[in-house]
Amino acid sequence: MGEQDRDDTVLKGRHRAMWASGDYAAVAAEVIPALGPVLVEACGVRAGQRVLDVAAGSGNAAIPAALAGADVVASDLTPELLEIGRADAAARGAELEWRTADAEALPFGDAAFDVVLSCVGVMFAPHHREAAGELVRVCRPGGTIGLVSWTPEGFIGQMFAAMKPYAPPPPPGAQPPPLWGDPGHVAGLLGDRVEELAAVRRTVRIDRFGKPAEFRDFFKERYGPTITAYRNLGGDPERAAALDEALDDLARRHDLGGGAMEWEYLLVTARKRG
């Protein structure tokens, strides 16, 4: 194994551990449950189609796709999230396959799926071009690629900017996740391998939190990137207090009243060239 391969293995191990920490499934189920069905509808998923959900987490999009009658594979780097999704799917009467997989090296054949989608998932793969290449590769000619990604200007993009001074430095070559919410960036990643590309900014209403401190504490306990930022502080109470205030201020600035917020995302659909 070369040095680059070893570095990549370490990086992916850290990503797995980050998303296994806390309780991302609670974030998906309690905060943003609407996003998966939005993406499934935008991709026109229907019975009989072969669908791949990349970086599926606990199945926010994969389970609705399966309930629509599609033949679905949910893939994710973090097996702990897949286990939660498997139990949720069984409880909801959804049948689908769960596979541990790296979004930058998917273990599927070329042109294997009619629809390839990802709901605020593939955006967290560190190497954007490699991940985009895999999305296109496993989609059949004429098939649909669909993505939901947080925008740089929206709430989650701003949250990552607020956490950046406190988080570990990104590894060499890794790109910021919210870039996937920039239409120009996504168009550049997919290039001329797709056609009929549509990118629309939308918002999802969040009313899970009554006040800023509730949002901060929820993410501090459950959201892997936020947990990692706090752990990076090494127990420094002053820096922890500063990060607390940065997150509280973010929530205050987005408060529409009573704790409700609108979080912006980019919905992308495209057709793979035949």
Side-chain angles (χ1 to χ4, degrees):
M1 180 183 290
E3 183 176 348
Q4 181 62 45
D5 291 334
R6 282 193 295 271
D7 290 346
D8 196 54
T9 299
V10 170
L11 173 59
K12 298 303 171 58
R14 288 174 178 167
H15 269 253
R16 267 196 307 272
M18 178 180 72
W19 290 108
S21 66
D23 186 3
Y24 180 73
V27 178
E30 297 180 31
V31 184
I32 54 170
L35 289 186
V38 163
L39 181 58
V40 168
E41 180 179 359
C43 291
V45 173
R46 60 185 183 274
Q49 287 185 317
R50 179 83 166 150
V51 176
L52 175 64
D53 186 358
V54 179
S58 52
N60 198 8
I63 293 174
L67 291 173
D71 179 9
V72 180
V73 178
S75 68
D76 197 275
L77 191 65
T78 306
E80 292 87 346
L81 292 177
L82 296 178
E83 285 302 314
I84 295 169
R86 184 179 284 110
D88 186 28
R92 296 170 64 180
E95 295 185 7
L96 60 156
E97 181 182 351
W98 301 85
R99 290 280 299 274
T100 301
D102 181 352
E104 297 177 6
L106 293 169
F108 308 110
D110 296 353
F113 297 92
D114 300 301
V115 179
V116 179
L117 50 79
S118 186
C119 183
V120 294
V122 76
M123 65 179 290
F124 292 100
H127 306 113
H128 295 187
R129 193 157 298 282
E130 286 84 344
E134 286 293 88
L135 295 176
V136 176
R137 180 184 67 79
V138 300
C139 186
R140 69 165 175 81
T144 299
I145 296 170
L147 306 167
V148 163
S149 306
W150 301 119
T151 65
E153 303 85 0
F155 182 88
I156 295 295
Q158 290 184 37
M159 184 183 78
F160 274 89
M163 294 192 302
K164 185 176 180 179
Y166 307 93
Q175 293 177 280
L179 279 178
W180 281 87
D182 179 330
H185 183 71
V186 177
L189 290 174
L190 298 176
D192 61 5
R193 296 172 294 184
V194 303
E195 57 190 359
E196 299 177 29
L197 188 148
V200 181
R201 294 179 186 270
R202 292 188 179 181
T203 60
V204 58
R205 186 175 180 86
I206 308 298
D207 54 12
R208 168 64 174 74
F209 312 107
K211 54 186 178 180
E214 289 182 21
F215 151 74
R216 178 243 300 160
D217 289 343
F218 186 92
F219 270 64
K220 196 173 179 178
E221 294 170 3
R222 294 172 174 83
Y223 191 61
T226 309
I227 292 169
T228 299
Y230 277 96
R231 285 178 177 170
N232 187 58
L233 303 180
D236 183 330
E238 291 187 5
R239 298 195 74 209
L243 180 50
D244 281 349
E245 178 54 31
L247 294 177
D248 286 354
D249 179 64
L250 176 67
R252 280 194 295 267
R253 286 188 283 109
H254 284 79
D255 187 359
L256 300 175
M261 296 181 276
E262 296 281 345
W263 293 2
E264 186 182 67
Y265 64 91
L266 186 72
L267 174 64
V268 171
T269 56
R271 192 168 305 282
K272 182 176 175 179
R273 286 191 185 276

Coordinates of all heavy atoms in Angstrom, one line a residue, residues 23 25-33 206-208 218 222:
D23 N -25.7 11.0 16.9 CA -26.9 10.3 16.4 C -27.4 11.0 15.2 O -28.5 11.7 15.2 CB -28.0 10.3 17.6 CG -29.2 9.5 17.2 OD1 -29.2 8.9 16.1 OD2 -30.1 9.5 18.0
A25 N -28.9 9.8 12.7 CA -30.3 9.3 12.4 C -31.3 10.2 13.0 O -32.4 10.4 12.4 CB -30.4 7.8 12.8
A26 N -31.1 10.7 14.2 CA -32.1 11.6 14.8 C -32.2 12.9 14.1 O -33.2 13.5 14.0 CB -31.7 11.8 16.3
V27 N -31.0 13.4 13.6 CA -31.0 14.6 12.8 C -31.9 14.4 11.5 O -32.8 15.2 11.2 CB -29.6 15.0 12.4 CG1 -29.7 16.3 11.5 CG2 -28.8 15.3 13.6
A28 N -31.7 13.3 10.8 CA -32.4 13.0 9.6 C -33.9 12.8 9.9 O -34.8 13.3 9.2 CB -31.9 11.7 9.0
A29 N -34.2 12.1 11.0 CA -35.6 11.8 11.3 C -36.4 13.0 11.9 O -37.6 13.1 11.7 CB -35.7 10.6 12.2
E30 N -35.7 13.7 12.8 CA -36.4 14.8 13.6 C -36.3 16.2 13.0 O -37.2 17.0 13.2 CB -35.9 14.8 15.0 CG -36.1 13.5 15.8 CD -35.5 13.6 17.2 OE1 -35.5 14.7 17.8 OE2 -35.1 12.5 17.7
V31 N -35.2 16.4 12.2 CA -35.0 17.8 11.7 C -35.3 17.9 10.2 O -35.9 18.9 9.8 CB -33.5 18.2 12.1 CG1 -33.3 19.7 11.6 CG2 -33.2 18.1 13.5
I32 N -34.8 17.0 9.4 CA -34.9 17.1 8.0 C -35.6 16.0 7.3 O -35.2 15.5 6.2 CB -33.6 17.4 7.3 CG1 -32.5 16.3 7.7 CG2 -33.0 18.8 7.7 CD1 -31.3 16.3 6.9
P33 N -36.7 15.4 7.9 CA -37.3 14.2 7.3 C -37.9 14.5 5.9 O -38.1 13.6 5.1 CB -38.4 13.8 8.3 CG -38.7 15.1 9.0 CD -37.4 15.8 9.1
I206 N -37.7 24.5 9.3 CA -37.2 23.7 10.5 C -37.9 24.3 11.7 O -37.7 25.5 12.0 CB -35.7 23.8 10.7 CG1 -34.9 23.4 9.4 CG2 -35.2 23.0 11.9 CD1 -35.2 22.0 9.0
D207 N -38.7 23.5 12.4 CA -39.4 24.0 13.6 C -39.2 23.1 14.8 O -40.1 23.0 15.6 CB -40.9 24.3 13.3 CG -41.6 23.0 12.7 OD1 -41.0 21.9 12.8 OD2 -42.7 23.2 12.3
R208 N -38.1 22.4 14.7 CA -37.8 21.4 15.8 C -37.3 22.1 17.1 O -37.4 21.5 18.2 CB -36.7 20.4 15.3 CG -36.1 19.5 16.3 CD -37.1 18.6 16.9 NE -36.4 17.6 17.8 CZ -35.9 17.9 19.0 NH1 -36.0 19.1 19.5 NH2 -35.3 16.9 19.7
F218 N -28.7 20.3 20.6 CA -29.0 19.1 19.8 C -27.9 18.7 18.8 O -27.5 17.6 18.8 CB -30.3 19.4 19.0 CG -30.9 18.3 18.2 CD1 -31.8 17.5 18.8 CD2 -30.5 18.0 16.9 CE1 -32.4 16.4 18.1 CE2 -31.0 16.9 16.2 CZ -32.0 16.1 16.8
R222 N -25.5 15.4 18.7 CA -25.9 14.4 17.7 C -25.2 14.5 16.4 O -25.2 13.5 15.6 CB -27.4 14.5 17.6 CG -28.2 14.0 18.8 CD -29.7 14.3 18.6 NE -30.5 13.8 19.7 CZ -30.7 14.4 20.9 NH1 -30.2 15.7 21.0 NH2 -31.4 13.9 21.8

